[in-house]
Amino acid sequence: MELRGVIERINGSLVITRFEEEPKIGDLVEVGEMGLMGEIVRLSEKTAYIQCYEATSGLKPGEPVLDTGKPLVAELGPGLITTIFDGVQRSESTLWEIAGPFITRGIHIPALDRERRWHFEPRVEAGERVVGGDIIGVVRETEAVEHRILIPPGLRGRIREISEGDYTVVEPVAELETPWGERQELRMMQEWPVRTPRPYKERIPLVAPLITGQRVIDTFFPVAKGGAASIPGGFGTGKTVMLQQISKWADADIIVLIGCGERGNEMADVVTHFPKLIDPKTGEELIERTIIVANVSNMPVSAREASIYLGVTMGEYFRDQGYDVALMADSTSRWAEALRDVSGRLEEIPAERGFPAYLADRIAEIYERAGRVITLGSGERIGSLTILGAVSPPAGDFSEPVTTHTLRFIGTFWALDTELAFRRHFPAIHWLRSFTRYLDVASKWWSRFDPRWEEMRGKALELLEEASEIEETARIIGEKALPDEQRLVLLIAEMIREGFLVQNAFDEVDTYCEAEKQVALLRALMEFYDRTEPLVRKGIPIEKIRGLRVVPELMRLKERRGLEPIERAKAEMEREVRELEEEYREAI
Amino acid sequence: MVVEAGLIYRTTREIRGPLLFVEGVRDVAYDEVVRVITAEGEVMGSVLDVSRDWALIQVFGETSGMDLNVGVRFTGETLKIPVSDELIGRIFSGSFEPLDGMSSPLSTDVRDVHGGVINPAARAVPSEFIQTGVSAIDGMNSLVRGQKLPIFSESGLPHNRLAAQIARQATIPGREEEFAIVFAAMGIKHEEAEFFREEFEKTGALSKSVMILNLADDPPIERLVTPRIAQTIAEYLAFDLDMHILVILTDMTNYAEALRSISIAREEIPTRKGYPGYLYSDLATIYERAGRIKGKRGSITLMPILTMPGGDITHPVPDLTGYITEGQLILERDLYLRGIYPPMNVLPSLSRLMKDGIGVGKTRRDHADVSNQLYMAYAEGTRARGLVRIVGVVGLSERERGYLEFADEFERRFVNQGYYENRSIEKTLDIAWDLLSMLPEEDLIRIREEYIKEFHPSYRGRG
Ligand SMILES: Nc1ncnc2c1ncn2[C@@H]1O[C@H](COP(=O)(O)OP(=O)(O)O)[C@@H](O)[C@H]1O
Ligand SMILES: [Mg+2]
């Protein structure tokens, strides 16, 4: 039902409107003569507080407001993949065609192209019974993605008619007869209110890690498919690059990348570079499985708030088709600031740092939408949604509210470190301050490559930790004064850092590291320690160990293709160690 | 300024700092420009909050001395400026009044100073290397055309000289196109503005520049519009007239303070150090106007300058700026006191767009690796320097001593250079290799072996 109102007051993005009758909270509205998009965020009888998704300058009290009677919904159907949307699901490529390179206000375009035809192939036959969540047909949306057309949640009945053919998203592809004898046309497009989680049958345990090809993540701090992770860090510590790396290389079926209140050029970078990259798994262009939401920092703040929900809804929709979806939100801090902005204008009582008291709840609601589920529909289709969120703490200080609250709702924490970033140790994920709660899941998966995986990983982390304690001492007495056993720990820690943890996103080879290679590298490094530690204990000077030719080679293995160089280095290590033993036989 | 006649209200009920609260108004738009008429003349303002019968106005000039009898005229327009190629070579005040004795510019083409948002889908990724001739920038934090790269400094450091040197020397190797400059001053001293004017005059850049000056003794609130006027002009020159524009905005800290004073007067809930929660978004609406657009020849490269109060990089203004811009160049007092010009600490400095601007066909294929290795080695060296304070040089291992020496030489020979010294990128990289050859070769693990073989001094001339 549409309702009319009149603007009473305009304070930035907040527009206070008096309606003829009481509207609903959450309704989408068109504000002013320009028809700006907005949403009702608070209600006091007939007076509605509207957060406007477009700039309000020039708007006057007295101008009309139209309540559409519908909440903010996402359109779901073929045409989502490869599209770059703004925070309220307008295609930015289409906006560009219509209005030129600058975003113009008051343009209403549907999210999914209404003209484009897709080839629909039925997967059920007339006469079959179907329920919400069932797949009635498929569309090859891109080379990489088969889009499965689902019966919308809540609907059920018998298929009366269905036929293969080329359809637009709004043309009926089938007809359903409900148990009450009503006939209902089925279309490829469905709508879903973005703030409501999409339903599923059951949550099920997480069983596999999301493999990203990034060593520090996969080996040390993995996230499970269906899990949630957070990557906080000051500016320039590598949040965006890491989320882009994961978008590129993660073994997910669908990627949703949300640029929330961040740079326009970063989104342009994704659009420009992704199509040139080939998925190592499918051989298809990486863009062919990616949906982008680009709500950049100079767009109106309130649409930023919506953009995350939009992205999550699109992610859930593909999860419901039985896919593994990975969603990146860069940055959730900008989303939280949008909440704060609206809250401030509503004159709500602030909690910490001006954020509303419900901040923690809202963060929880978002990460709760991650998970691995049995989807609706007959059968046991499994899908997952993994949510990875960047956090941009002011002054890089992790004690601020968004970081601390996020910490409670995620399973993996990638703590970025400024000092590491300064020395261009990227990814600057700090090994002592990060954690994962998915180690069990990961161990099971990795043990297929090496039954001792968990032990090796543990040992490597232990050495890194020990090294940092030794460094503390070295800071006071100097490295020279340390016993050689400790200096060996420093050496091996350096080798793990340079030879394993450091991974240049822009290196042609090292941008992605296969699981087999990760294990082999780690094993080689740990074997080096196991071989040399007894020597040092027997009194062979550390300088001799550091001087081995295999030391720099071990640190360079990551940049060499394949596993063969690793085997060669290990043979070389064996030879050099023997020589050293030989040399010192007498002394020992 | 485009100003139209309108009713004059004398119904101001309250004056609080830079804000006027006016009652009984009709038909006023949010963000509309107003003229506040006093005995001394007119000042501009704009509507911050409006209801059916009152409006809250921020005044871009002095309100001290005003009484409740001031006249307030609503112009029916948001803030717009006329644009044409006749702006080139002109000097204006921070609110666009001519300061060069010439008449106010006229044009039928008027642009809203808030500009539009460049559609992310229409952005072209900046990727053309700009040679500034400054090694610390070109070698390790390369600037590209269309980038926004601020200088974080402290008062008393030579950030103005560095900006002027960049403006003078910046070229795209192999091309003769030069930058035109849009310069906006916010609250800087007369002599500083004069320094820039003279520098631009010397190089002939002045005739291609536009200067917008709000100086230390000009009304602080006016600073809210100054950078927006500059960016509006830059957009016109870049995207309508196909020019390559370098925008210098100085000092953004003064801008942010003006924003803070409005926020305090409105009794908004502050987040850090009294700054409002929307400082990030507000700064973004200025900075994000830089860039390139697909299908357009021109570009806006942006170099904001800001002084960090107390040299504190965690202060909200540098902090939020760093979150928006594509990197930062950081000047430090410590280096300055040791006589290094430019006193740039490369470690916390960053250019995020460097990767697209360097390498084969742009600079040299070893560039990325060399830069990476310099970072690592210099970080190692500064760590050793910290150790010396505790254990003395004798307490260092031989390896640490090598790095310490490297760090000193790196600052002295690579970072340090003359104000008129314009180094080619080859020269910069050659100095880098000379320095790296001080280190054991097996330590150069951030550099591909093939590049070591090709560029390392100890292999040179050995085919
Ligand atoms: N994995 C990486 N490999 C190489 N360089 C990196 C990597 N991560 C970050 N960087 C460098 O750090 C810069 C800042 O990273 P970015 O992800 O944009 O930081 P943030 O999003 O935290 O501000 C990048 O422009 C790049 O130069
Ligand atoms: Mg980022």
Side-chain angles (χ1 to χ4, degrees), chain A residues 196-222:
Chain A
T196 311
R198 279 176 64 90
Y200 47 81
K201 251 193 237 157
E202 189 188 340
R203 259 177 197 275
I204 51 176
L206 312 184
V207 293
L210 182 78
I211 295 301
T212 65
Q214 311 303 303
R215 288 184 294 269
V216 59
I217 290 182
D218 296 350
T219 298
F220 287 109
F221 305 105

Side-chain angles (χ1 to χ4, degrees), chain B residues 151-209:
Chain B
I151 299 175
F152 292 1
S153 187
E154 290 177 54
S155 55
L157 299 189
H159 42 265
N160 290 341
R161 282 168 77 81
L162 180 59
Q165 184 172 12
I166 293 168
R168 164 159 42 82
Q169 296 181 169
T171 55
I172 308 272
R175 292 214 219 145
E176 294 317 310
E177 298 155 321
E178 280 176 4
F179 282 104
I181 295 163
V182 174
F183 177 87
M186 287 150 281
I188 64 170
K189 290 189 290 240
H190 263 277
E191 62 200 63
E192 290 181 276
E194 190 52 27
F195 165 79
F196 278 106
R197 205 192 58 76
E198 276 172 18
E199 283 294 316
F200 297 160
E201 193 162 32
K202 266 191 247 163
T203 59
L206 192 62
S207 59
K208 291 186 305 167
S209 305

Side-chain angles (χ1 to χ4, degrees), chain A residues 115-130:
Chain A
E115 314 285 308
R116 177 151 178 200
R117 286 178 184 281
W118 301 90
H119 188 74
F120 173 79
E121 260 181 69
R123 283 287 187 268
V124 294
E125 284 170 20
E128 274 187 55
R129 299 202 167 273
V130 290

Side-chain angles (χ1 to χ4, degrees), chain A residues 291-573:
Chain A
I291 304 172
I292 300 167
V293 180
N295 201 86
V296 297
S297 58
N298 56 338
M299 288 178 175
V301 174
S302 29
R304 231 185 254 172
E305 201 260 331
S307 68
I308 300 260
Y309 298 103
L310 168 66
V312 173
T313 303
M314 293 192 288
E316 286 174 337
Y317 171 68
F318 280 96
R319 172 203 70 189
D320 292 345
Q321 294 174 37
Y323 288 121
D324 288 322
V325 182
L327 176 141
M328 331 281 141
D330 184 10
S331 157
T332 61
S333 293
R334 307 300 164 220
W335 162 86
E337 285 161 15
L339 275 188
R340 175 171 70 188
D341 194 72
V342 176
S343 167
R345 288 183 200 279
L346 289 173
E347 296 176 1
E348 292 171 342
I349 295 163
E352 309 146 85
R353 298 238 185 140
F355 286 107
Y358 47 79
L359 173 69
D361 294 340
R362 293 288 168 84
I363 293 175
E365 277 164 27
I366 288 175
Y367 285 107
E368 267 301 299
R369 289 173 79 169
R372 182 163 173 270
V373 304
I374 300 179
T375 66
L376 293 185
S378 16
E380 294 272 285
R381 196 172 346 120
I382 291 175
S384 72
L385 174 62
T386 311
I387 299 185
L388 313 174
V391 180
S392 317
D397 170 10
F398 289 4
S399 67
E400 58 90 42
V402 183
T403 318
T404 53
H405 290 311
T406 301
L407 206 52
R408 295 158 49 198
F409 310 117
I410 45 98
T412 300
F413 189 70
W414 296 313
L416 295 173
D417 182 77
T418 316
E419 291 301 320
L420 290 177
F422 284 0
R423 48 184 291 135
R424 296 323 188 241
H425 171 122
F426 286 120
I429 293 178
H430 201 284
W431 46 92
L432 298 182
R433 286 198 287 280
S434 303
F435 66 79
T436 178
R437 297 190 177 118
Y438 305 113
L439 191 57
D440 291 349
V441 171
S443 290
K444 214 169 282 162
W445 190 88
W446 280 100
S447 61
R448 72 176 73 163
F449 298 102
D450 190 329
R452 289 175 47 241
W453 180 82
E454 194 172 337
E455 194 188 316
M456 280 193 318
R457 171 190 179 274
K459 180 75 189 163
L461 270 182
E462 223 171 83
L463 283 167
L464 287 168
E465 203 173 326
E466 199 183 331
S468 87
E469 280 161 22
I470 297 171
E471 267 162 24
E472 286 301 312
T473 319
R475 244 193 282 281
I476 302 162
I477 61 171
E479 190 189 324
K480 236 171 65 178
L482 296 172
D484 276 4
E485 279 97 334
Q486 294 197 343
R487 294 181 71 186
L488 179 68
V489 174
L490 292 185
L491 175 65
I492 184 74
E494 182 188 330
M495 291 168 71
I496 298 174
R497 285 201 305 264
E498 281 301 322
F500 195 86
L501 296 174
V502 168
Q503 187 172 2
N504 186 346
F506 310 121
D507 184 272
E508 206 189 315
V509 176
D510 208 27
T511 181
Y512 175 83
C513 186
E514 303 82 2
E516 293 88 332
K517 188 171 165 188
Q518 296 192 27
V519 176
L521 274 176
L522 187 64
R523 201 189 294 124
L525 288 163
M526 297 321 290
E527 277 180 26
F528 177 81
Y529 181 70
D530 290 343
R531 278 310 262 125
T532 51
E533 195 256 355
L535 304 187
V536 172
R537 244 182 315 118
K538 283 179 204 154
I540 296 184
I542 181 73
E543 280 78 17
K544 282 285 173 186
I545 310 282
R546 188 179 260 286
L548 297 178
R549 280 187 308 280
V550 77
V551 170
E553 177 58 19
L554 281 170
M555 292 194 267
R556 281 186 183 278
L557 286 173
K558 58 181 187 179
E559 69 193 46
R560 314 213 193 279
R561 270 180 220 279
L563 301 179
E564 197 253 344
I566 303 179
E567 291 314 312
R568 249 186 297 144
K570 276 163 61 175
E572 161 85 6
M573 169 173 80

Side-chain angles (χ1 to χ4, degrees), chain A residues 6 9-10 57-59 92 101 103 236 261 263 265 304 340 393 395 424 476 480 498 506 556 560, chain B residues 30-31 49-50 52 117 119 271 280-281 319 323-326 349 352 355 375 391 394 444 446-447 449:
Chain A
V6 175
R9 177 178 166 192
I10 305 136
S57 77
L59 213 58
E92 286 172 349
I103 299 217
R263 302 176 184 84
N265 274 334
R304 231 185 254 172
R340 175 171 70 188
R424 296 323 188 241
I476 302 162
K480 236 171 65 178
E498 281 301 322
F506 310 121
R556 281 186 183 278
R560 314 213 193 279
Chain B
Y30 176 71
D31 213 21
D49 190 349
V50 58
R52 277 176 174 272
V117 173
N119 185 327
T271 52
Y280 172 86
S281 302
D319 189 48
Y323 271 119
I324 302 164
T325 52
E326 282 132 0
S349 299
R352 294 161 188 268
K355 69 174 169 65
Y375 271 108
V391 296
V394 286
L444 306 183
R446 296 261 176 103
I447 305 183
E449 286 156 313

